[in-house]
Amino acid sequence: MAIFSVYVVNKAGGLLYQLDHYAPRADTEKTFSFPLDLVLRPHDERVVVAFGQRDGIRVGHAVLAINGAEVNGRCTADGKDVLEFLGNPANYPVSIRFGRHRLSSNEKLMLASMFHSLFAIGSQLSPEVGSSGIEMLETDTFKLHCFQTLTGIKFMVLADPRQAGIDSLLRKIYEIYSDFALKNPFYSLEMPIRCELFDQNLKLALEVAEKSGPFGPGS
Amino acid sequence: QNSELFTLTYGALVTQLCKDYENDEDVNKQLDKMGYNIGVRLIEDFLARSNVGRCHDFRETADVIAKIAFKMYLGITPSITNWSPGGDEFSLILENNPLVDFVELPDNHSSLIYSNLLCGVLRGALEMVQMAVDVKFVQDTLKGDSVTEIRMKFIRRIEDNLPAGEE
């Protein structure tokens, strides 16, 4: 999967739509006996590995599940504090699943709003008037492409750095938005997009874009 | 593509509004409102498909509206005339109006602006690209005039909630 996510942000910076399109990252589940040879610590709303990388478990990975039951932030499924639970030898042997924490919807909302602000700052930094704003943010693991319409809506696509054709994908997403969100009379402007047809057509467009990129057949 | 269904649908809409509101002024207002709601959505379709960039002055706007937008949605290309000295007002002259094919305005609806939906559409669409405009019909073939004339006046640039980069 070379296209990772799509974000649609309204002109006030509110997140209208978000889609994650990548296969879930490999989680690692192992059985442990007391004492745990990994050092865990709380971080924000999760419990993460601070020290003791091994067997696919990396520093920064969060505790995702204990004994098969997904944890809820810093608590186990049945409400006990994770660190307390894992500090008690009576609870061992225990099976813990570690993995990279996936962003919660709140975190995505905040990130979209933050990007919206950065985008505005980016335009103000421009030495010329009428800057397009941030078009691309590049890192070694992904490229974030952004397109702002004349009406202030932003479409953002996070993709593999080698993935081509994102510009036309962004325009295509604009078309899909104007068709399946705006032409749906029951969709209210500036509100989160919850339209089945929008989802379906967007996913289709992502698949088409991925196939025609550098990873497509015959390339 | 056959436009009868479109003309008939619009006609059904207007006549139903006439029954619901009983006076022409209210119908005109409703048509404008409905047009506005269409305009704020249609603009995105227009921008997504036509790929036009931002207009730098009202003359460019007039050109885009007459030559691209009207052509795209109604299949007609009105002519642009009667520019005000300040360049903030112009007229669109429509030789024919697809909305009024087969329509005759009866005497008891002499103040009805049959195609007022169009005014709302233009107003709503331009508002979304930060232009406040006033749009009205000044001539109407339905009322016996030789052409249909829509007058568009630029009021002001909408400064709140400007997209970044437009300051």
Side-chain angles (χ1 to χ4, degrees):
Chain A
M1 299 280 174
I3 295 177
F4 305 136
S5 349
V6 177
Y7 288 72
V8 181
V9 178
N10 72 12
K11 60 185 172 203
L15 186 62
L16 293 183
Y17 182 84
Q18 201 281 325
L19 175 72
D20 284 327
H21 188 63
Y22 50 85
R25 289 167 218 281
D27 297 335
T28 317
E29 184 153 16
K30 288 217 151 14
T31 311
F32 298 87
S33 44
F34 192 81
L36 207 54
D37 56 352
L38 304 163
V39 177
L40 301 177
R41 65 175 177 88
H43 176 74
D44 285 345
E45 290 306 311
R46 334 186 257 287
V47 174
V48 299
V49 176
F51 192 81
Q53 206 153 281
R54 63 135 167 142
D55 294 337
I57 301 169
R58 323 229 349 231
V59 169
H61 273 188
V63 172
L64 296 178
I66 291 185
N67 292 330
E70 283 192 6
V71 305
N72 196 349
R74 306 233 291 263
C75 296
T76 63
D78 39 352
K80 303 192 193 62
D81 182 83
V82 167
L83 288 170
E84 262 181 55
F85 183 87
L86 293 176
N88 185 347
N91 293 319
Y92 286 76
V94 70
S95 159
I96 313 177
R97 177 150 53 93
F98 290 95
R100 190 158 182 272
H101 165 75
R102 295 176 221 343
L103 292 172
S104 68
S105 352
N106 258 350
E107 284 169 330
K108 287 175 185 169
L109 269 162
M110 281 195 322
L111 286 175
S113 159
M114 224 175 282
F115 182 78
H116 168 84
S117 305
L118 282 178
F119 185 97
I121 293 170
S123 308
Q124 285 167 23
L125 286 172
S126 168
E128 305 264 329
V129 107
S131 162
S132 73
I134 297 176
E135 288 179 332
M136 175 148 64
L137 195 141
E138 187 170 347
T139 74
D140 58 346
T141 50
F142 72 90
K143 269 187 187 163
L144 182 157
H145 303 252
C146 180
F147 165 59
Q148 176 171 258
T149 69
L150 295 185
T151 51
I153 307 248
K154 282 188 262 308
F155 296 97
M156 289 137 64
V157 169
L158 276 71
D160 187 287
R162 296 157 292 174
Q163 178 71 45
I166 301 289
D167 273 345
S168 56
L169 174 64
L170 284 168
R171 302 281 182 295
K172 182 83 184 121
I173 298 177
Y174 189 19
E175 275 181 38
I176 294 173
Y177 166 73
S178 85
D179 284 342
F180 299 102
L182 294 184
K183 291 189 187 125
N184 178 348
F186 299 107
Y187 166 66
S188 320
L189 255 50
E190 308 289 312
M191 297 303 285
I193 301 170
R194 298 199 203 294
C195 309
E196 202 42 70
L197 288 173
F198 179 80
D199 279 334
Q200 286 172 17
N201 282 276
L202 180 59
K203 287 183 183 135
L204 215 60
L206 294 184
E207 272 150 36
V208 168
E210 282 179 330
K211 286 202 180 69
S212 59
F215 308 109
S219 59
Chain B
Q1 203 169 332
N2 185 298
S3 62
E4 318 294 8
L5 184 57
F6 174 63
T7 312
L8 282 170
T9 305
Y10 188 72
L13 177 77
V14 176
T15 47
Q16 189 59 48
L17 286 175
C18 288
K19 288 200 188 89
D20 291 341
Y21 287 93
E22 294 174 356
N23 83 74
D24 290 347
E25 258 323 298
D26 285 343
V27 178
N28 294 338
K29 280 205 192 81
Q30 282 306 307
L31 285 172
D32 181 80
K33 229 198 216 175
M34 293 168 78
Y36 176 85
N37 286 324
I38 293 173
V40 299
R41 291 169 183 253
L42 199 63
I43 182 72
E44 309 275 16
D45 179 83
F46 176 69
L47 293 172
R49 298 202 141 74
S50 68
N51 231 338
V52 300
R54 189 168 290 280
C55 293
H56 296 103
D57 58 37
F58 207 42
R59 277 178 191 272
E60 265 190 77
T61 308
D63 273 343
V64 169
I65 291 173
K67 295 175 185 151
I68 310 181
F70 265 87
K71 186 95 180 84
M72 204 189 269
Y73 294 112
L74 289 174
I76 56 174
T77 310
S79 43
I80 304 167
T81 63
N82 288 352
W83 276 101
S84 65
D88 63 341
E89 255 188 271
F90 67 91
S91 289
L92 289 166
I93 309 285
L94 283 72
E95 303 284 315
N96 74 306
N97 177 356
L99 291 175
V100 308
D101 286 344
F102 321 121
V103 177
E104 279 176 36
L105 215 54
D107 295 327
N108 61 325
H109 284 297
S110 51
S111 15
L112 179 66
I113 309 170
Y114 187 84
S115 308
N116 210 28
L117 192 92
L118 290 182
C119 297
V121 173
L122 288 165
R123 187 170 62 87
L126 288 174
E127 189 176 298
M128 294 295 277
V129 286
Q130 297 87 43
M131 272 185 265
V133 293
D134 187 67
V135 189
K136 55 180 190 267
F137 279 88
V138 295
Q139 286 196 81
D140 197 344
T141 50
L142 284 185
K143 298 195 170 138
D145 299 316
S146 49
V147 288
T148 299
E149 182 183 347
I150 300 176
R151 190 101 185 121
M152 293 193 64
K153 182 181 167 69
F154 179 83
I155 313 274
R156 62 183 175 88
R157 195 152 174 258
I158 300 174
E159 298 286 330
D160 35 78
N161 251 342
L162 279 176
E166 300 296 338
E167 299 88 33

